[in-house]
Amino acid sequence: MKKTYSILSGAFSIMAIFPILAGLTKWGFPLYVAVLEVSLFLPFTLALAGLVFALMGLKGKLKISLVVMNAARLSLSLFLVFVALFGFQQP
């Protein structure tokens, strides 16, 4: 069961960062727009789910790397959501 949690953690981690990275390319921009139309918080939610599954996954170096990777993606998503909600407001 813990192996499944580790696999799910990796999958959610990839799903959380892929729309952000795809938004930086010409071919991936429509994907980025489609994700944002679903919800601004979708990458944040995916990274949070990845972190939860990483905490329940296999022990050892794999767990440490999954937790750090998902925590970094969660921080990036949280920062981007903060900028989107409060940074683009006009005075």
Side-chain angles (χ1 to χ4, degrees), residues 14-49:
I14 291 170
M15 287 190 298
I17 199 67
F18 186 71
I20 295 169
L21 291 178
L24 299 174
T25 64
K26 286 183 180 181
W27 62 267
F29 190 72
L31 173 70
Y32 182 68
V33 171
V35 167
L36 290 181
E37 284 180 359
V38 172
S39 174
L40 178 65
F41 300 103
L42 186 61
F44 175 76
T45 307
L46 292 171
L48 184 63

Side-chain angles (χ1 to χ4, degrees), residues 12 25 27 41 45-46 52 54 59 62 64-65 68-69 85 90-91:
F12 278 119
T25 64
W27 62 267
F41 300 103
T45 307
L46 292 171
V52 169
K59 293 184 179 180
L62 178 65
I64 292 170
S65 64
V68 168
M69 186 173 50
L85 290 178
Q90 295 185 5

Side-chain angles (χ1 to χ4, degrees), residues 68-89:
V68 168
M69 186 173 50
N70 282 302
R73 287 182 168 85
L74 184 66
S75 299
L76 175 66
S77 296
L78 185 63
F79 174 72
L80 292 175
V81 167
F82 177 78
V83 168
L85 290 178
F86 299 110
F88 296 123
Q89 293 181 356

